[in-house]
Amino acid sequence: MRLPLGAEPHYLHLMDQPLRLHYAPDNASLIVRLALEELGAPYETILVDRSIDAQNSPEYRAINPAGLIPVLETSQGPVFETAAILLWLTEAHGAMAPHPGSDERASFLKWLFYLSNTTHANLRLNFYPEKYVGDDEETQATLRAHARATLCRSFDLLEALSQDDHEWFCGADVSVVDLYVVAMLRWSALYPAGDTDWFALSRWPSLAALTRRIDIRPSVASLIKSEGMDLNPFSTPNYPNPPEGVAL
């Protein structure tokens, strides 16, 4: 469910509001959108227009002081940080993750936060090195090279993990970890535009198989329509042409 274009989001009085996803096309919010679709949870979306730096507006900073995308407004208030949102959703719905207290819970948690704290963090270094080291191009190149080496190691570890028969990764049912991984594989193949020769999905055949499996989910059909993506956005990604807003 979408808010009408041009509708003003309300950042206060959150407790009586439905789930509302603050998103930008092809940003981390797409992982949360997919999770909401998989869970069948009613939600609205509110564009964070990066072309006008809306993520740094006072209104947006009121719900996420860090100015990052996404935010999910819930009955318990706004939740930000992708892993935190995903964890909140799995606990609220009792799905897409091992239940608290189950034997698999600890493994699930450590890998979810590995994705957030290591893999996703290194993607940001790869995309935006100037935010961390300034304008010196040689220093940026050094940082990018380090980030890419670490990303390759991360994908190696995930390829090995896929062989361990965990129900929450590459298993029979889709989990939030699956969604997080395929999104990061997509971004590695596309961004920064024109500078992705370091990445080849075929190097990780089990991860590649996961992207093909996720591509055919009904949740992905909704993502394609909402964010202007081509078919097979994870196994054979292309740049989106979103109906509103700008991508990564």
Side-chain angles (χ1 to χ4, degrees), residues 10-165:
H10 299 285
Y11 295 93
L12 303 177
H13 310 298
L14 303 176
M15 298 304 288
D16 59 354
Q17 297 292 328
L19 292 176
R20 306 173 94 192
L21 175 63
H22 296 256
Y23 90 105
D26 217 2
N27 278 235
S29 49
L30 77 82
I31 307 164
V32 179
R33 184 194 290 273
L34 289 175
L36 290 164
E37 291 287 340
E38 290 285 344
L39 292 166
Y43 69 100
E44 301 168 345
T45 57
I46 302 169
L47 175 68
V48 184
D49 191 348
R50 294 185 57 174
S51 70
I52 59 171
D53 205 32
Q55 69 272 25
N56 288 314
S57 68
E59 294 82 6
Y60 191 74
R61 291 276 185 163
I63 60 169
N64 186 353
L68 299 174
I69 303 167
V71 171
L72 185 68
E73 293 186 50
T74 78
S75 60
Q76 298 174 334
V79 184
F80 55 85
E81 293 296 319
T82 302
I85 298 171
L86 295 175
L87 189 57
W88 186 91
L89 285 171
T90 65
E91 292 181 353
H93 291 267
M96 299 192 73
H99 294 296
S102 68
D103 290 343
E104 285 281 282
R105 184 68 173 182
S107 291
F108 162 78
L109 288 173
K110 70 185 181 185
W111 282 100
L112 176 63
F113 284 92
Y114 175 81
L115 295 177
S116 175
N117 295 347
T118 300
T119 315
H120 201 162
N122 276 283
L123 277 175
R124 286 188 58 82
L125 295 178
N126 183 40
F127 299 155
Y128 314 116
E130 70 282 357
K131 293 185 178 182
Y132 301 91
V133 297
D135 295 331
D136 182 77
E137 293 184 358
E138 184 175 348
T139 307
Q140 289 180 17
T142 299
L143 181 61
R144 270 204 167 113
H146 171 77
R148 291 171 179 182
T150 305
L151 286 166
C152 286
R153 288 195 294 272
S154 291
F155 297 143
D156 288 344
L157 291 174
L158 291 166
E159 180 75 10
L161 180 68
S162 71
Q163 309 303 313
D164 289 345
D165 196 27

Side-chain angles (χ1 to χ4, degrees), residues 222-246:
S222 177
L223 173 70
I224 289 169
K225 180 178 179 181
S226 299
E227 301 198 10
M229 294 182 179
D230 291 342
L231 294 176
N232 304 317
F234 300 111
S235 64
T236 55
N238 288 301
Y239 301 107
N241 183 22
E244 61 175 355
V246 295

